[in-house]
């Protein structure tokens, strides 16, 4: 079960990899470390759509996170935002692992990053 999703928005509005912890395990584990070296055009289109939505969710929750005055309040805001980010990724027909794999590939490959930037800006 996806109980926690930590997402950071990186340069040019592209969202970075998402970390997922297992509910009830008590320890945070990173999502797969795999890189999808050659994502298909369909994967890239779905990824670009998910990036837009995840970025919008992050922007929506940022003021609430900044306004939180205690760590429990910040954790509650993060948890709510995380649930929404996971839902947005999955709404575009992607798993969190697939999203993360493409994110890692985009961070490593400048040409792939340009292609995603183009798709995000369409």
């Amino acid at each position: 079960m996806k109980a926690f999703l930590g997402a950071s928005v990186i340069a040019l509005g592209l969202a970075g990899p998402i970390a997922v912890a297992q509910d009830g395990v008590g320890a945070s584990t990173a999502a797969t470390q795999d890189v999808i070296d050659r994502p298909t055009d369909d994967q890239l289109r779905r990824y670009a759509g998910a990036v837009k939505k995840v970025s919008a969710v992050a922007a929506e929750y940022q003021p609430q996170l900044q306004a939180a005055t205690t760590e429990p309040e910040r954790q509650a805001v993060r948890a709510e935002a995380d649930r929404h980010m996971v839902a947005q990724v999955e709404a575009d027909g992607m798993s969190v692992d697939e999203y993360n794999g493409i994110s890692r590939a985009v961070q490593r490959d400048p040409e792939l990053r340009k292609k995603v930037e183009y798709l995000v800006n369409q």
Side-chain angles (χ1 to χ4, degrees):
M1 181 174 186
K2 295 167 187 73
F4 178 81
L5 168 77
S8 62
V9 178
I10 60 176
L12 301 171
L14 298 179
I18 299 170
V20 179
Q22 298 300 319
D23 194 22
V25 174
S28 178
T29 57
T32 183
Q33 295 298 313
D34 292 339
V35 173
I36 299 176
D37 288 322
R38 294 187 185 355
T40 66
D41 287 342
D42 182 57
Q43 284 175 312
L44 288 177
R45 280 190 294 279
R46 287 184 291 125
Y47 176 77
V51 163
K52 290 182 204 180
K53 292 176 182 180
V54 167
S55 295
V57 170
E60 176 184 341
Y61 280 91
Q62 189 61 35
Q64 293 175 42
L65 187 60
Q66 289 176 338
T69 57
T70 66
E71 188 56 31
E73 287 174 349
R74 285 187 286 277
Q75 288 177 355
V77 171
R78 283 187 202 110
E80 185 177 333
D82 292 344
R83 285 189 297 276
H84 286 124
M85 287 182 213
V86 168
Q88 293 303 320
V89 167
E90 292 174 344
D92 279 346
M94 300 191 86
S95 69
V96 172
D97 288 346
E98 182 181 17
Y99 178 91
N100 285 343
I102 295 171
S103 291
R104 287 181 183 94
V106 167
Q107 289 174 344
R108 293 178 183 179
D109 183 341
E111 288 301 313
L112 188 57
R113 184 178 183 94
K114 286 179 186 177
K115 192 170 188 176
V116 171
E117 288 171 2
Y118 172 78
L119 291 170
V120 167
N121 290 319
Q122 281 188 325

